[in-house]
Amino acid sequence: MTPPKTWSDRFETALHPAIARFNASIRFDIELIEYDLTGSVAHAKMLGQTGIIPADEATQLVAGLEQIRREYRAGEFQPGIEAEDVHFAVERRLTEIVGAVGKKLHTARSRNDQVGTDIRLYLRDQIDTIRVQLRQFQQVFLDLAAQHIETLIPGYTHLQRAQPLSLAHHLMAYVQMTQRDWQRLGDLRQRVNISPLGCGALAGTTFPIDREFTAKELGFAGIYANSLDGVSDRDFAIEFLSAASLIMVHLSRLSEEVILWASQEFSFVTLKDNCSTGSSIMPQKKNPDIPELVRGKTGRVCGHLQALLVLMKGLPLAYNKDLQEDKEAIFDTVKTVQACLEAMTILFAEGLDFCSDRLAQAVAEDFSNATDVADYLVTKGVPFREAYNLVGKVVKTSLAAGKLLKDLTLAEWQALHPAFEADIYLAIAPRQVVAARNSAGGTGFEPVRQAIAAMQAELRSD
Ligand code: ARG
């Protein structure tokens, strides 16, 4: 069967079937249908309000559009390839439902401002969902942090043991990272929330439309000031993909840490059965598939950002069909970020345990208190660089003797420098090493308590 002609009578034949398939976006832009209906309802009301069409016809259009919404939700409206895209699919079905008046819906509008409206409404909703998810993630981390203020964990630079930390401090770093994610989404949401509806194909329209009316109906904070910009702008989408990429980068770094921590070499966490997987051949294994998948999916999202940047860079104003390619990148990013945030939140809420004994042992068995020996000497009046060099020597001789710093006798300490006294043992005990780092934003128990309280207050104030 030859598909029906979509276009005006200028066209004599329908598209070649393979080209029709190539050109169509209905397979994926059906995702926008609820937003398309909402945008069309606002447009139809505006047409009636301004007298561009009679008020009773506008009422019929709105009723027809709401019927399509019900049909779609009931699974009864499943447009196929012949509709080309979601916008045509809705207009066709509307005309079936309400008759010839349906053909008036597209007065003073183009699919260019229509699709721009749909994608912004969609993204605005998804941003709100992701921000709620970020808050849930932060709440889980805050609760964990509150339980682990005095749990110590080795801190690393270059993946070499550096200085011990409060586990809460480590967890709170992710709360700060996701706080910036939350803020970034809130900021870019303002640029998503501008209405292009009424920009027409590119130049505006000859009809006396009321753009402020539709913007208000749809909850937009304002309207695009330039019609060309309105239909061809995808900056807001790139900003979203960029913010989404950063969220994924944060989750990916966290994933990498969990993967390391769950290894036998670290053994800082154990994965519970509800969040780990087995091997099909090695029965002893418990694999960290969840963080590995999150880490893996990060590449996809960063790829979508790159794809949209490259898509845009050569486009002349205004609309070009290339822009149809923005959708799969945006939809896949939204789904991926939402799924990964959910999975990581569950993983930390109920899928892993920190191994307190192993952590306590880990911080006691290394030289990560070496800086504190130098700091100790500084408090006794030795210049830092001199103290630093001396402690380097201490570490070297201790290593040669197979000892840790805590195992050196007071005589050995004093042989290295006369300023050492018996209180050196307290100064280098891991708990004291952490507790003493009380500078603002440091890992000391006091600043960590304050940081947790400040974020708890921040979350309550939403
Ligand atoms: N399906 C199209 C898209 O997603 C809708 C806009 C088409 N506009 C046009 N002038 N061909 O971008």
Side-chain angles (χ1 to χ4, degrees):
M1 189 193 89
T2 14
K5 269 194 316 160
T6 300
W7 312 109
S8 72
D9 290 338
R10 173 181 169 173
F11 287 77
E12 286 179 0
T13 64
L15 280 176
H16 183 290
I19 297 300
R21 277 195 302 278
F22 182 71
N23 191 46
S25 53
I26 186 75
R27 177 175 55 78
F28 50 85
D29 67 14
I30 189 72
E31 182 92 35
L32 294 174
I33 186 162
E34 296 259 355
Y35 302 100
D36 197 72
L37 291 166
T38 303
S40 288
V41 165
H43 181 68
K45 284 186 185 166
M46 185 278 292
L47 291 177
Q49 194 79 21
T50 51
I52 296 172
I53 65 171
D56 67 305
E57 291 186 353
T59 310
Q60 288 176 55
L61 291 177
V62 171
L65 290 163
E66 291 304 347
Q67 179 176 331
I68 298 175
R69 197 190 298 277
R70 285 193 296 277
E71 290 175 0
Y72 176 74
R73 289 187 182 174
E76 291 157 8
F77 181 52
Q78 292 166 343
I81 200 83
E82 70 290 342
E84 183 183 326
D85 63 20
V86 67
H87 323 295
F88 275 138
V90 166
E91 194 179 326
R92 267 198 202 157
R93 179 69 194 126
L94 181 67
T95 305
E96 283 170 19
I97 295 172
V98 302
V101 65
K103 298 184 180 174
K104 293 195 176 182
L105 175 67
H106 211 51
T107 313
R109 186 178 72 172
S110 149
R111 278 186 304 158
N112 299 349
D113 55 345
Q114 187 180 358
V115 71
T117 304
D118 294 6
I119 199 89
R120 284 169 180 82
L121 292 175
Y122 164 86
L123 214 41
R124 190 178 70 187
D125 260 11
Q126 305 306 326
I127 286 170
D128 291 344
T129 301
I130 295 171
R131 290 182 93 214
V132 169
Q133 287 188 292
L134 284 167
R135 281 296 190 233
Q136 290 163 347
F137 174 94
Q138 291 179 313
Q139 192 58 59
V140 165
F141 271 60
L142 273 171
D143 292 346
L144 263 182
Q147 290 163 34
H148 286 294
I149 295 173
E150 302 206 8
T151 304
L152 308 187
I153 185 170
Y156 297 80
T157 64
H158 313 268
L159 206 55
Q160 303 285 325
R161 291 274 178 97
Q163 291 167 350
L165 299 170
S166 151
L167 173 55
H169 193 54
H170 196 124
L171 296 169
M172 286 300 292
Y174 285 97
V175 176
Q176 297 297 339
M177 289 148 87
T178 47
Q179 179 66 3
R180 291 193 294 276
D181 292 328
W182 186 87
Q183 289 167 343
R184 229 182 319 270
L185 287 175
D187 176 60
L188 74 91
R189 186 191 189 281
Q190 298 174 61
R191 288 176 292 285
V192 170
N193 201 26
I194 303 291
S195 174
L197 194 55
C199 289
L202 75 167
T205 172
T206 56
F207 294 97
I209 58 170
D210 184 346
R211 291 188 61 202
E212 297 288 353
F213 176 91
T214 45
K216 198 153 172 266
E217 281 284 304
L218 296 170
F220 284 118
I223 63 172
Y224 271 85
N226 180 297
S227 62
L228 281 174
D229 182 39
V231 289
S232 58
D233 174 31
R234 291 296 182 274
D235 294 358
F236 65 95
I238 292 176
E239 284 191 60
F240 170 73
L241 294 183
S242 164
S245 297
L246 275 173
I247 294 175
M248 290 303 296
V249 165
H250 294 157
L251 294 183
S252 189
R253 296 182 73 175
L254 177 62
S255 295
E256 173 65 13
E257 297 204 304
V258 174
I259 294 161
L260 285 172
W261 290 346
S263 69
Q264 255 179 300
E265 284 69 13
F266 278 78
S267 297
F268 290 175
V269 298
T270 49
L271 297 174
K272 295 197 198 168
D273 290 356
N274 62 0
C275 280
S276 59
T277 46
S279 153
S280 59
I281 169 168
M282 297 165 283
Q284 85 283 10
K285 290 197 71 186
K286 231 182 173 186
N287 292 330
D289 287 25
I290 307 312
E292 285 175 315
L293 273 174
V294 171
R295 190 177 57 183
K297 286 174 190 290
T298 302
R300 252 165 77 170
V301 173
C302 297
H304 291 319
L305 168 63
Q306 185 72 1
L308 199 51
L309 282 167
V310 177
L311 169 79
M312 293 302 292
K313 77 171 272 295
L315 289 191
L317 300 183
Y319 179 86
N320 299 271
K321 187 73 170 225
D322 315 45
L323 290 174
Q324 181 165 291
E325 289 288 307
D326 64 353
K327 285 170 208 62
E328 285 163 293
I330 294 173
F331 298 155
D332 186 63
T333 297
V334 163
K335 287 190 185 117
T336 305
V337 169
Q338 291 178 351
C340 290
L341 269 170
E342 182 183 30
M344 289 304 273
T345 303
I346 293 172
L347 179 65
F348 276 81
E350 50 187 289
L352 57 76
D353 281 321
F354 283 95
C355 312
S356 317
D357 292 350
R358 166 69 191 137
L359 287 168
Q361 175 203 350
V363 291
E365 68 184 15
D366 60 21
F367 287 89
S368 61
N369 48 5
T371 318
D372 298 81
V373 178
D375 288 354
Y376 174 94
L377 286 176
V378 170
T379 63
K380 306 273 170 177
V382 181
F384 176 77
R385 190 55 65 203
E386 195 183 318
Y388 165 90
N389 284 327
L390 183 98
V391 178
K393 211 168 86 191
V394 179
V395 170
K396 196 169 152 192
T397 51
S398 305
L399 276 171
K403 286 181 166 186
L404 291 168
L405 296 177
K406 67 174 162 59
D407 302 325
L408 297 178
T409 64
L410 188 56
E412 284 172 314
W413 280 115
Q414 286 173 340
L416 288 154
H417 199 288
F420 285 116
E421 293 173 69
D423 58 354
I424 180 63
Y425 294 104
L426 178 64
I428 62 171
R431 196 179 179 286
Q432 175 59 22
V433 166
V434 175
R437 286 196 160 64
N438 273 327
S439 52
T443 191
F445 302 136
E446 246 346 277
V448 168
R449 264 191 200 98
Q450 284 162 16
I452 294 172
M455 277 310 296
Q456 276 165 342
E458 171 91 34
L459 261 57
R460 273 196 304 270
S461 73
D462 274 356

